[in-house]
Amino acid sequence: MSISALLSMGRCCCRCCCPRGLWMLSAPCCDDRRMCVCPGPRRIGIPVGSSGLPLFSDAMPAPAQLFFPLLRNCELSRIYGTACYCHHKHLCCPPPYLPQSRLRYSPHPAYATFCRPKESWWQYTQGRRYASTPQKFYLTPPQVNSILKANEYSFKVPEFDGKNVSSVLGFDSNQLPANAPIEDRRSAATCLQTRGMLLGVFDGHAGCACSQAVSERLFYYIAVSLLPHETLLEIENAVESGRALLPILQWHKHPNDYFSKEASKLYFNSLRTYWQELIDLNTGESTDIDVKEALINAFKRLDNDISLEAQVGDPNSFLNYLVLRVAFSGATACVAHVDGVDLHVANTGDSRAMLGVQEEDGSWSAVTLSNDHNAQNERELERLKLEHPKNEAKSVVKQDRLLGLLMPFRAFGDVKFKWSIDLQKRVIESGPDQLNDNEYTKFIPPNYYTPPYLTAEPEVTYHRLRPQDKFLVLATDGLWETMHRQDVVRIVGEYLTGMHHQQPIAVGGYKVTLGQMHGLLTERRAKMSSVFEDQNAATHLIRHAVGNNEFGTVDHERLSKMLSLPEELARMYRDDITIIVVQFNSHVVGAYQNQE
Amino acid sequence: MFHRLLSVVRRQRTGRGWQNWSSGRSGASAAEAHSVALPAQAQVVICGGGIMGTSVAYHLSKMGWKDIVLLEQGRLAAGSTRFCAGILSTARHLSIEQKMADYSNKLYQQLEQETGIQTGYIRTGSIFLAQTQDRLISLKRINSRLNVIGIPSEIISPKKVAELHPLLNVHDLVGAMHVPEDAVVSSADVALALASAASQNGVQIYDRTSVLHVMVKKGQVTGVETDKGQIECQYFVNCAGQWAYELGLSNEEPVSIPLHACEHFYLLTRPLETPLQSNTPTIVDADGRIYIRNWQGGILSGGFEKNPKPIFTEGKNQLEIQNLQEDWDHFEPLLSSLLRRMPELDTLEIMKLVNCPETFTPDMRCILGESPLVQGYFVLAGMNSAGISFGGGAGRYLAEWMVHGYPSENIWELDLKRFGALQSSRTFLRHRVMEVMPLLYDLKVPRWDFQTGRQLRTSPLYDRLDAQGARWMEKHGFERPKYFVPPDKDLLALEQSKTFYKPDWFDIVESEVKCCKEAVCVIDMSSFTKFEITSTGDQALEVLQYLFSNDLDVPVGHIVHTGMLNEGGGYENDCSIARLSKRSFFMISPTDQQVHCWAWLKKHMPEDSNLLLEDVTWKYTALNLIGPRAVDVLSELSYAPMTPDHFPSLFCKVSANKVLFSSFLLVLL
């Protein structure tokens, strides 16, 4: 399949196209659907067979060459006036008044992602152009597998004497980076002081600092919110007297999922302040802890702490820089809490939780357990309009983006959309030099009159599990924008039950010879092995998300092309994808139901 | 079809047998027999009417015990015994197993004559194929062992194999072993014949009677509770096959019998166009994981696949055995293997794929013997798919054990007491049998360790030793370091390391041995069984003097190396005893003696509340400092002088900080 076909098939995956006019002075560039170099190329409908795109029919690494003619077009077509230059996912747009020459790669890698000036593209594409020869280059199936499986992780809830007594059988998770480094994060943990399991996906933007921090901290906040008063007291006393702490969470981490050692003390202190407040607030009246409330409180509290830590700063310059990076970047979160048959999903942003339900006839249907917080959600648009004065009604959401910039309407961090202008300026001025040098942080969103524009408050959905609810898919928008939810549920459902799909053979009363039976069995085995190439449902889903062709089957050639995209280009064809597939134990769920 | 055929055949053949038992009892017909009340008491109650239960009953009655009741929950010989493939093979890896199979062979051969019941016994012989040189070595080892105990067998060439069996493809063979006296039988009929003979000798047999639990008082069997009432008895024999585990646990004082069932498949075909002769030899193609015997002119072929399906982990009742599903997809590798071995079968019509669960044990050896905790509670189960081969011999040994106090052969390798409590968890068994079943046809090289169900018990030093490059073996559930791989040396992967020749760890072990002989080494011996025997008076000394062969009345601080002997003068246990004080002794014996040694001591110690036996294995970590320079190390570590004068050989000291030194052993508290 040619790249042009590849491009024209998908939608734009860039979440932060620049508003019109913003680039007018600085980066004359292509406009509109046809010419945008916005790294959301899937939104661009490039006319196939256009004379300006002779290289498109080449195989990989053609994408490198792709941008060369595009940029030339841009040069020629200043008249179109609008440029989209955001390499970055959620946010882009250095202020328009800045002279172009000042837009350089930031020396720090974390900032390199903030903006990429045009010349570098030029140099880059030029260099590429000479370096690349139109030879065919494919990854072999084992190479594809090693890429797909690099981040896969599976956890099975341990059996107790041959029996699984938990309503969760286990989960599979995986992520496929498009950004370098990846900005998605995932977490999974079992609550040790209360019952239940927490699972979450976090989609970062403007760097991975915020998603990293949220993935490390959020579950602790939730677990603490769920703890009864006595346990909180016990923990506080243990800390006070220097005794060993009761473990709160048991993490289930892939070796690549890391925790920041440097910040742990800081994070712990914030958390401790939180539980101390919870202890103080306790009136001793209500002993029942409402999970929904706990989730909302935990989300809000963590976002608040992120904001506060950035305002207060830290004497340690490394930490000071870290907390600012966390606060100035952002992350969405979609977290599920499963305890017996009670399933709560707390969502902030545009990741999604999807329940796989097996109907009586064996077919699969998808039940959405979260609402996306973006421009496609009428209720969110309504909310934003209500929260801000009437005269802002037009500017608050522009081009499907918050203030014309940010795609998710709710997120952690992103203090640029939360703090007052004064506060932002004050923090940046007193902050470290790296921050001061960075143009992105200094830039104030346009039409910024009545902050905050952004909140981390989640929407919590409750679902009582039924025996027909077989699994839950938590995934970042990287998955949902390439696959329809119905397809996602069908693929996972068929994968998980694939074994049973082939009816067992019985000889019955028929005349069957050994040879015939052997032929039949060999055929069946060949069919099975293709289904069970993956041991991980999340990997299986990613394989489909990235490699599916028009017919909904995995096309190895396409998969190979998509995965061999150079680091710098991958983001233009796909977003980071993070998936957790939680499998439920129908027997246990059914037993719960029968008890009542 | 097969079911019907078999049951028709059985009814015809067994009718006579049934009448015998009925008339033997009260003259009532078979149908009425069920309502006959159980006797109120008996000397022995046997639970299980399969090949094992009937064999035990047969041998007990032959040895003169008459007051025996055999209970079967369903019909006689209707469990695994009925579905079993009926191959009797004497080619076993242990010589005790070979002896049992040899005895069974001789027993079944004359059984028809003795009882008048057709047992389907045909001396076909069997051929074990070798596709590789390693397999041939393995066969040669078995061959020489068979010849030692007088069972004829020989190693033959592929050409000879082709002469012995008309259908075999021999192109990929390097050789084979021929055991001409092996046989095939109809296993259910053998069990019925044994039952019939036992019944004639006075054994009372009741079917459709389930044992609920065994009643125990003061560690002694007192009776059996069944769904038809109670029977008082002195001895109980658990021959419940795959239900033996559950039955063992149903007592108030549970008896753990570590076994677990796996599904097992074999294929039955219709007769060939020119039906196979009834004396066509049985083929075992272990490299192809299959066995093939002739069956009514067609073939019967099954195997031991690499990915077994454990079953009944949570326990189920017997009725469901009949309804087990055929799983063709699971059988596919074995079918491929069969068609490769006998290509001409391609056009042969399938009759049925039989799913018959088989029971497996954690170490691939059957379980025989008396419970260490409950006296009079005997077990015979866990046949690892060789029930027919072992049935006669195992039943005889168990009967001898009950009648004479001990069997005529050393059966320690099969003794129930070789297992500890840790090996009876259901999860452990489920994992372990999945490794054991494929192992049946894997190459059995010396010093092979099981890989599943490991790290049940570890020494406190485990992590440190592991960090030093230790490779581990398991003994009685305890992890013990085998040798330490130097940092610059890589060993082969597990599968490649299987060899009958010089193993790749040989040089490592050589240097370790040298170090022990010429310098000094520390060995972690924490796994060793440690008991403390104390008393208020001289009782401890008296009982030990009675039980052990060496004189234990030595000065405090001395260590005696000695053994526990049985009435026949044989060794029950080999151990070292340190006299800690006048009235307390510290006993160290091998790891796997923990259960056996405890049971032996308990059995022979008088009931005396002032005499205390304590298992302190868990309390101590034992380090063995060995080598000519051990004393130098000790003197570095201790203030006490360590010269031979102060610290003679076989001597121990208890110092203030509770470290126990001895001239060859160092025990830390």
Side-chain angles (χ1 to χ4, degrees):
Chain A
M1 186 190 312
S2 73
I3 293 303
S4 52
L6 248 176
L7 290 175
S8 56
M9 273 167 55
R11 292 178 296 122
C12 172
C13 63
C14 169
R15 296 214 264 183
C16 44
C17 284
C18 300
R20 263 162 197 264
L22 201 62
W23 283 86
M24 273 253 259
L25 297 170
S26 58
C29 186
C30 58
D31 172 36
D32 77 29
R33 327 255 127 187
R34 279 188 299 147
M35 298 300 174
C36 178
V37 198
C38 152
R42 291 191 229 167
R43 183 172 279 169
I44 338 165
I46 297 163
V48 180
S50 143
S51 60
L53 306 166
L55 293 164
F56 269 32
S57 53
D58 279 348
M60 303 307 307
Q65 298 156 343
L66 159 69
F67 296 92
F68 170 62
L70 274 181
L71 282 172
R72 193 157 47 191
N73 271 346
C74 294
E75 279 295 293
L76 294 171
S77 54
R78 280 166 190 250
I79 36 164
Y80 287 110
T82 317
C84 297
Y85 221 100
C86 39
H87 183 265
H88 197 60
K89 188 170 159 191
H90 274 213
L91 284 160
C92 55
C93 321
Y97 48 81
L98 287 171
Q100 187 184 328
S101 57
R102 284 188 57 194
L103 286 170
R104 251 178 269 116
Y105 271 133
S106 163
H108 192 280
Y111 282 83
T113 49
F114 280 160
C115 56
R116 283 199 178 157
K118 200 190 75 191
E119 309 99 326
S120 61
W121 271 113
W122 254 112
Q123 289 151 11
Y124 163 69
T125 46
Q126 296 271 17
R128 274 273 160 178
R129 185 183 162 210
Y130 298 123
S132 63
T133 47
Q135 58 185 348
K136 298 238 172 194
F137 168 65
Y138 289 122
L139 297 173
T140 61
Q143 286 172 322
V144 165
N145 281 345
S146 75
I147 294 175
L148 286 179
K149 294 180 179 190
N151 289 317
E152 73 178 12
Y153 177 79
S154 280
F155 174 76
K156 274 204 167 68
V157 174
E159 290 180 351
F160 178 72
D161 214 12
K163 284 177 212 160
N164 189 335
V165 292
S166 160
S167 61
V168 176
L169 281 175
F171 69 85
D172 291 339
S173 77
N174 197 354
Q175 38 185 205
L176 181 70
N179 291 300
I182 186 168
E183 293 175 350
D184 278 8
R185 291 292 184 272
R186 58 184 157 169
S187 294
T190 308
C191 298
L192 295 175
Q193 301 305 324
T194 53
R195 291 178 312 161
M197 197 167 178
L198 286 163
L199 304 119
V201 294
F202 311 96
D203 184 349
H205 48 260
C208 59
C210 188
S211 52
Q212 174 63 32
V214 173
S215 74
E216 287 177 41
R217 306 176 66 183
L218 182 58
F219 286 8
Y220 279 115
Y221 279 75
I222 297 174
V224 162
S225 311
L226 288 168
L227 287 181
H229 186 63
E230 305 78 56
T231 320
L232 285 174
L233 274 178
E234 206 175 308
I235 291 175
E236 173 59 22
N237 288 339
V239 176
E240 191 67 35
S241 55
R243 276 182 286 127
L245 268 184
L246 290 172
I248 300 176
L249 292 175
Q250 185 199 352
W251 292 94
H252 312 299
K253 287 197 294 190
H254 186 274
N256 288 358
D257 302 342
Y258 63 94
F259 274 12
S260 134
K261 276 207 184 91
E262 296 82 4
S264 62
K265 184 93 180 96
L266 174 75
Y267 291 168
F268 177 77
N269 286 338
S270 296
L271 182 69
R272 187 179 173 193
T273 315
Y274 177 42
W275 81 53
Q276 282 171 340
E277 278 174 34
L278 285 177
I279 292 172
D280 292 343
L281 284 173
N282 184 282
T283 50
E285 281 165 19
S286 66
T287 47
D288 277 358
I289 287 167
D290 182 29
V291 179
K292 181 173 175 175
E293 212 170 294
L295 285 165
I296 294 176
N297 288 342
F299 272 62
K300 283 161 78 174
R301 177 68 186 208
L302 174 59
D303 192 47
N304 207 28
D305 282 355
I306 288 173
S307 168
L308 267 179
E309 284 157 11
Q311 289 173 41
V312 174
D314 196 286
N316 175 331
S317 67
F318 176 82
L319 278 183
N320 196 25
Y321 184 43
L322 178 76
V323 293
L324 286 167
R325 259 169 38 211
V326 169
F328 275 93
S329 57
T332 73
C334 186
V335 173
H337 177 263
V338 197
D339 175 9
V341 287
D342 299 321
L343 168 63
H344 286 86
V345 174
N347 183 44
T348 285
D350 52 6
S351 294
R352 218 180 269 172
M354 195 70 64
L355 193 66
V357 182
Q358 190 165 31
E359 304 296 343
E360 275 176 21
D361 61 357
S363 67
W364 294 94
S365 61
V367 174
T368 317
L369 289 184
S370 64
N371 297 315
D372 296 354
H373 301 135
N374 58 17
Q376 276 69 50
N377 183 342
E378 288 295 328
R379 293 225 316 275
E380 280 296 290
L381 285 172
E382 204 59 35
R383 174 182 68 85
L384 275 171
K385 278 175 188 162
L386 280 175
E387 282 175 4
H388 298 279
K390 274 227 169 69
N391 54 2
E392 284 188 57
K394 278 196 177 147
S395 61
V396 103
V397 177
K398 262 187 167 175
Q399 293 174 332
D400 286 354
R401 283 158 193 264
L402 185 66
L403 296 175
L405 295 168
L406 190 65
M407 226 147 110
F409 288 0
R410 300 190 193 193
F412 282 95
D414 280 331
V415 290
K416 297 196 70 58
F417 297 87
K418 290 174 180 164
W419 289 355
S420 67
I421 296 180
D422 279 354
L423 182 57
Q424 292 191 30
K425 282 188 173 154
R426 207 171 65 231
V427 170
I428 292 167
E429 272 163 24
S430 62
D433 294 342
Q434 297 106 306
L435 200 67
N436 257 323
D437 285 348
N438 186 274
E439 305 301 347
Y440 162 69
T441 44
K442 278 186 178 169
F443 156 72
I444 304 291
N447 304 315
Y448 197 74
Y449 308 117
T450 50
Y453 285 88
L454 194 63
T455 172
E457 179 171 340
E459 243 184 304
V460 180
T461 322
Y462 171 74
H463 179 82
R464 199 187 145 79
L465 287 175
R466 305 157 297 170
Q468 63 264 41
D469 301 332
K470 300 296 182 191
F471 58 88
L472 177 74
V473 181
L474 297 172
T476 54
D477 63 337
L479 174 73
W480 305 113
E481 65 199 9
T482 52
M483 273 177 106
H484 190 264
R485 61 202 189 109
Q486 192 59 46
D487 292 333
V488 168
V489 166
R490 184 182 50 79
I491 286 167
V492 175
E494 284 177 3
Y495 170 81
L496 291 177
T497 57
M499 286 284 199
H500 316 294
H501 248 245
Q502 288 198 337
Q503 284 295 316
I505 310 181
V507 178
Y510 300 103
K511 276 192 164 191
V512 188
T513 68
L514 288 177
Q516 287 167 338
M517 180 58 93
H518 184 233
L520 187 63
L521 293 175
T522 320
E523 205 174 283
R524 278 162 68 95
R525 201 183 50 170
K527 213 164 131 196
M528 295 269 258
S529 61
S530 71
V531 175
F532 293 105
E533 196 173 0
D534 295 316
Q535 274 87 51
N536 182 305
T539 312
H540 190 66
L541 203 47
I542 291 180
R543 189 186 295 277
H544 275 272
V546 179
N548 259 11
N549 59 15
E550 301 88 325
F551 312 108
T553 55
V554 176
D555 176 348
H556 177 72
E557 195 178 318
R558 185 191 164 100
L559 193 59
S560 160
K561 279 178 186 170
M562 289 296 273
L563 292 178
S564 53
L565 287 169
E567 213 170 63
E568 314 83 44
L569 295 176
R571 180 62 189 89
M572 307 192 173
Y573 293 90
R574 53 185 164 83
D575 193 356
D576 293 337
I577 299 178
T578 299
I579 301 174
I580 299 180
V581 179
V582 192
Q583 230 185 314
F584 298 118
N585 187 341
S586 302
H587 297 291
V588 172
V589 170
Y592 267 106
Q593 223 171 27
N594 294 338
Q595 275 171 17
E596 288 152 23
Chain B
M1 185 62 183
F2 169 67
H3 282 288
R4 222 191 66 214
L5 266 180
L6 210 130
S7 55
V8 169
V9 170
R10 275 196 49 237
R11 218 169 292 141
Q12 286 170 349
R13 286 185 187 167
T14 60
R16 217 169 357 161
W18 262 114
Q19 278 159 14
N20 282 347
W21 308 323
S22 313
S23 56
R25 270 202 310 271
S26 61
S29 76
E32 281 168 296
H34 310 312
S35 56
V36 169
L38 295 177
Q41 57 183 23
Q43 189 184 8
V44 183
V45 172
I46 300 169
C47 172
I51 183 79
M52 291 303 150
T54 53
S55 172
V56 172
Y58 173 87
H59 286 100
L60 279 177
S61 63
K62 280 251 158 159
M63 286 176 203
W65 284 21
K66 301 292 175 194
D67 191 8
I68 299 166
V69 172
L70 190 150
L71 305 175
E72 160 61 41
Q73 62 169 342
R75 284 176 302 148
L76 276 184
S80 292
T81 300
R82 174 180 159 197
F83 288 105
C84 144
I87 297 170
L88 196 155
S89 151
T90 48
R92 299 286 154 192
H93 287 272
L94 294 177
S95 49
I96 181 72
E97 291 179 339
Q98 290 180 345
K99 283 176 191 164
M100 291 200 302
D102 188 40
Y103 173 80
S104 304
N105 197 353
K106 287 170 181 144
L107 174 71
Y108 302 161
Q109 193 180 7
Q110 52 83 38
L111 205 56
E112 193 167 325
Q113 212 177 359
E114 183 184 336
T115 62
I117 295 175
Q118 283 180 21
T119 55
Y121 181 94
I122 302 165
R123 177 163 285 180
T124 59
S126 51
I127 303 172
F128 296 79
L129 309 181
Q131 291 184 27
T132 63
Q133 286 299 340
D134 272 349
R135 176 70 64 185
L136 196 59
I137 293 174
S138 165
L139 291 178
K140 281 177 180 165
R141 289 161 68 99
I142 297 174
N143 181 55
S144 51
R145 252 187 250 132
L146 282 174
N147 293 340
V148 165
I149 61 169
I151 301 171
S153 71
E154 58 175 337
I155 298 293
I156 56 176
S157 67
K159 215 170 132 193
K160 186 82 193 297
V161 174
E163 286 167 24
L164 287 167
H165 199 293
L167 296 172
L168 277 185
N169 164 22
V170 296
H171 296 302
D172 55 348
L173 299 183
V174 296
M177 176 175 73
H178 184 216
V179 188
E181 290 188 2
D182 278 358
V184 294
V185 291
S186 159
S187 46
D189 293 335
V190 169
L192 292 169
L194 289 171
S196 156
S199 161
Q200 277 166 352
N201 282 331
V203 175
Q204 304 175 59
I205 298 173
Y206 298 87
D207 61 357
R208 296 181 219 286
T209 308
S210 306
V211 174
L212 301 178
H213 61 90
V214 176
M215 296 176 291
V216 177
K217 226 176 240 166
K218 285 185 187 165
Q220 168 78 40
V221 170
T222 59
V224 177
E225 175 91 48
T226 74
D227 58 352
K228 304 251 169 78
Q230 287 187 358
I231 307 176
E232 276 180 33
C233 65
Q234 286 167 274
Y235 295 96
F236 175 75
V237 189
N238 182 342
C239 296
Q242 47 207 344
W243 318 119
Y245 176 87
E246 278 179 282
L247 180 61
L249 290 191
S250 66
N251 300 349
E252 248 174 74
E253 194 160 340
V255 175
S256 70
I257 303 161
L259 49 80
H260 197 294
C262 282
E263 290 181 48
H264 173 65
F265 296 93
Y266 63 79
L267 169 81
L268 293 174
T269 71
R270 304 209 175 271
L272 282 104
E273 269 179 39
T274 43
L276 271 185
Q277 301 225 311
S278 62
N279 62 355
T280 313
T282 300
I283 303 294
V284 176
D285 180 4
D287 296 307
R289 307 198 150 271
I290 50 167
Y291 57 81
I292 310 158
R293 62 164 276 198
N294 70 307
W295 187 76
Q296 301 189 352
I299 61 139
L300 179 162
S301 171
F304 298 97
E305 63 274 20
K306 275 193 169 148
N307 51 338
K309 291 166 77 179
I311 189 173
F312 304 134
T313 303
E314 294 172 33
K316 288 213 172 124
N317 66 49
Q318 190 181 11
L319 291 175
E320 302 197 26
I321 273 207
Q322 330 289 345
N323 305 331
L324 286 175
Q325 297 288 324
E326 54 193 313
D327 185 344
W328 278 100
D329 291 308
H330 192 71
F331 193 71
E332 189 267 340
L334 302 179
L335 180 60
S336 304
S337 176
L338 171 67
L339 288 176
R340 203 163 47 243
R341 187 54 55 213
M342 296 187 179
E344 285 170 48
L345 297 187
D346 204 60
T347 52
L348 189 60
E349 195 186 326
I350 294 167
M351 183 167 196
K352 193 178 167 58
L353 186 67
V354 182
N355 182 353
C356 81
E358 292 279 359
T359 316
F360 297 88
T361 59
D363 57 1
M364 217 168 49
R365 308 199 295 253
C366 72
I367 297 173
L368 192 156
E370 188 176 11
S371 155
L373 299 172
V374 182
Q375 282 193 30
Y377 193 117
F378 285 83
V379 180
L380 180 55
M383 288 299 145
N384 298 295
S385 226
I388 276 300
S389 303
F390 296 156
R396 177 180 140 210
Y397 289 142
L398 193 77
E400 283 174 356
W401 193 332
M402 293 170 72
V403 174
H404 305 310
Y406 204 76
S408 55
E409 292 282 345
N410 177 7
I411 55 93
W412 165 243
E413 283 162 316
L414 314 175
D415 194 335
L416 172 63
K417 296 192 201 71
R418 70 186 186 273
F419 295 113
L422 286 169
Q423 281 136 317
S424 66
S425 115
R426 222 47 191 145
T427 313
F428 163 80
L429 289 170
R430 186 181 169 89
H431 288 144
R432 176 55 71 80
V433 295
M434 286 174 75
E435 183 184 359
V436 165
M437 179 166 157
L439 218 53
L440 248 61
Y441 277 172
D442 281 346
L443 213 51
K444 269 172 272 305
V445 297
R447 292 174 204 85
W448 181 252
D449 292 309
F450 289 102
Q451 301 302 311
T452 50
R454 293 289 293 269
Q455 299 181 340
L456 297 178
R457 297 158 79 196
T458 57
S459 145
L461 297 171
Y462 181 86
D463 290 334
R464 289 196 203 185
L465 298 177
D466 201 51
Q468 299 286 319
R471 290 289 183 280
W472 298 90
M473 63 177 286
E474 169 236 35
K475 187 96 183 185
H476 204 68
F478 215 119
E479 293 293 324
R480 312 203 299 190
K482 278 198 291 195
Y483 46 83
F484 292 83
V485 182
D488 53 338
K489 194 168 159 102
D490 284 327
L491 288 189
L492 292 170
L494 202 65
E495 212 39 50
Q496 277 98 53
S497 67
K498 283 189 165 187
T499 177
F500 289 104
Y501 297 95
K502 184 177 165 183
D504 58 350
W505 44 259
F506 192 88
D507 298 334
I508 298 174
V509 174
E510 182 190 4
S511 63
E512 283 175 8
V513 170
K514 255 190 195 149
C515 188
C516 290
K517 281 277 177 199
E518 293 163 12
V520 60
C521 283
V522 186
I523 304 175
D524 180 6
M525 297 181 49
S526 309
S527 67
F528 276 54
T529 302
K530 302 170 222 61
F531 292 150
E532 251 176 37
I533 303 130
T534 47
S535 62
T536 49
D538 284 339
Q539 301 98 315
L541 181 63
E542 278 165 25
V543 71
L544 292 181
Q545 286 288 46
Y546 169 69
L547 284 174
F548 292 88
S549 51
N550 218 335
D551 184 14
L552 292 172
D553 197 3
V554 290
V556 170
H558 275 257
I559 298 169
V560 179
H561 194 95
T562 180
M564 283 198 290
L565 303 188
N566 55 28
E567 286 89 342
Y571 255 67
E572 285 293 324
N573 181 16
D574 154 59
C575 58
S576 301
I577 295 185
R579 190 165 193 181
L580 298 179
S581 72
K582 245 183 130 39
R583 299 188 172 105
S584 85
F585 294 85
F586 190 85
M587 175 179 165
I588 298 164
S589 41
T591 312
D592 56 356
Q593 286 285 336
Q594 194 176 20
V595 176
H596 172 72
C597 186
W598 177 266
W600 186 263
L601 284 169
K602 271 280 167 197
K603 195 171 172 182
H604 292 92
M605 269 170 50
E607 283 285 321
D608 185 347
S609 58
N610 293 325
L611 180 59
L612 259 177
L613 173 66
E614 196 191 353
D615 186 343
V616 293
T617 305
W618 299 98
K619 287 192 185 169
Y620 293 92
T621 291
L623 293 179
N624 186 355
L625 194 61
I626 189 171
R629 305 207 56 198
V631 173
D632 300 345
V633 175
L634 267 190
S635 54
E636 281 289 312
L637 294 174
S638 161
Y639 292 120
M642 289 293 166
T643 57
D645 295 343
H646 291 92
F647 205 77
S649 187
L650 293 180
F651 187 75
C652 79
K653 263 185 193 168
V654 183
S655 63
N657 59 355
K658 296 217 170 179
V659 180
L660 195 83
F661 297 109
S662 78
S663 51
F664 73 109
L665 198 69
L666 174 74
V667 181
L668 299 168
L669 199 67

